[in-house]
Amino acid sequence: NAGVTQTPKFQVLKTGQSMTLQCAQDMNHNSMYWYRQDPGMGLRLIYYSASEGTTDKGEVPNGYNVSRLNKREFSLRLESAAPSQTSVYFCASSEAAQGSSPLHFGNGTRLTVT
Amino acid sequence: KNEVEQSPQNLTAQEGEFITINCSYSVGISALHWLQQHPGGGIVSLFMLSSGKKKHGRLIATINIQEKHSSLHITASHPRDSAVYICAATGNQFYFGTGTSLTVIP
């Protein structure tokens, strides 16, 4: 029962470097999400994918790109990292579209951009 | 503007105490979710409810749609309940509260 698997767990980048956060779920869920969590703020949606082949911007998409590679995998790419992107990133999935079924979260990626 | 407000922000309790965490929301919703974030960072879904009350073990979640308010109760609290509890209201998207940090002291 892997659920949602997210890699890496920790990453340190220098300003301007790029990286991809990987996420995979084995629950046959249609919807997948990327959130960031910052101190004193609620989880904020970066991008989501309601189904395979579709992606949509969330609340804070600037500086990020996503790929829904197949039904299982949803990756988040930082093309040119900035210190403002220092955060904890969570991938999540749900059986149905936003809000109508429970979210299942990965364990998070703690990213520091120096 | 925060669509979801939680109170209190921080809560310390003695083991065995009855705990209540409150969540108020300002948007129309189809469901209200309660999440638990462990000290190690992982987030798990506790409840999803759209009316009435749900119970799982020592945890009880209630919602009053007319008052746009939900509560999470923990009976006979235990140190392992120490975590951040997050409320999320969902309409066409998730609106997350900032969480209530609970510490239960033995």
Side-chain angles (χ1 to χ4, degrees), chain A residues 4-110:
Chain A
V4 179
T5 303
Q6 192 180 332
T7 57
K9 284 190 174 182
F10 301 94
Q11 184 72 50
V12 178
L13 293 177
K14 294 185 176 175
T15 298
Q17 288 185 319
S18 62
M19 77 163 294
T20 300
L21 281 66
Q22 306 287 353
C23 177
Q25 51 91 9
D26 62 1
M27 296 171 283
N28 202 36
H29 285 169
N30 289 308
S31 299
M32 297 185 74
Y33 316 83
W34 277 105
Y35 292 96
R36 60 178 289 171
Q37 185 179 43
D38 300 293
M41 306 186 75
L43 290 158
R44 292 186 291 168
L45 182 64
I46 304 170
Y47 271 94
Y48 70 98
S49 171
S51 60
E52 184 180 353
T54 68
T55 60
D56 286 286
K57 294 179 181 179
E59 183 184 354
V60 288
N62 291 344
Y64 306 94
N65 284 299
V66 290
S67 295
R68 183 76 183 265
L69 303 169
N70 47 55
K71 192 169 186 179
R72 288 187 66 247
E73 298 173 288
F74 188 40
S75 61
L76 178 72
R77 183 160 179 83
L78 286 70
E79 290 290 353
S80 178
S84 61
Q85 293 177 306
T86 293
S87 188
V88 181
Y89 292 84
F90 287 95
C91 176
S93 70
S94 64
E95 186 174 358
Q98 291 215 72
S100 56
S101 60
L103 284 171
H104 297 259
F105 287 86
N107 286 330
T109 297
R110 187 172 295 274

Side-chain angles (χ1 to χ4, degrees), chain A residues 33-37 40-46 59 90 92 98-99 102-105, chain B residues 1-6 23-25 27 32-37 43-45 85-91 93-100:
Chain A
Y33 316 83
W34 277 105
Y35 292 96
R36 60 178 289 171
Q37 185 179 43
M41 306 186 75
L43 290 158
R44 292 186 291 168
L45 182 64
I46 304 170
E59 183 184 354
F90 287 95
Q98 291 215 72
L103 284 171
H104 297 259
F105 287 86
Chain B
K1 179 183 94 152
N2 294 328
E3 290 85 357
V4 175
E5 299 279 357
Q6 285 185 240
C23 174
S24 297
Y25 54 92
V27 294
L32 191 291
H33 299 247
W34 282 101
L35 311 172
Q36 180 191 54
Q37 184 167 22
I43 302 173
V44 296
S45 179
Y85 293 84
I86 300 169
C87 166
T90 62
Q93 66 179 81
F94 280 92
Y95 300 93
F96 293 92
T98 55
T100 295

Side-chain angles (χ1 to χ4, degrees), chain B residues 63-84:
Chain B
I63 188 168
N64 185 317
I65 299 293
Q66 286 72 32
E67 295 186 2
K68 294 191 172 182
H69 182 268
S70 176
S71 293
L72 177 68
H73 305 287
I74 304 175
T75 62
S77 59
H78 190 277
R80 64 175 174 265
D81 297 325
S82 297
V84 175

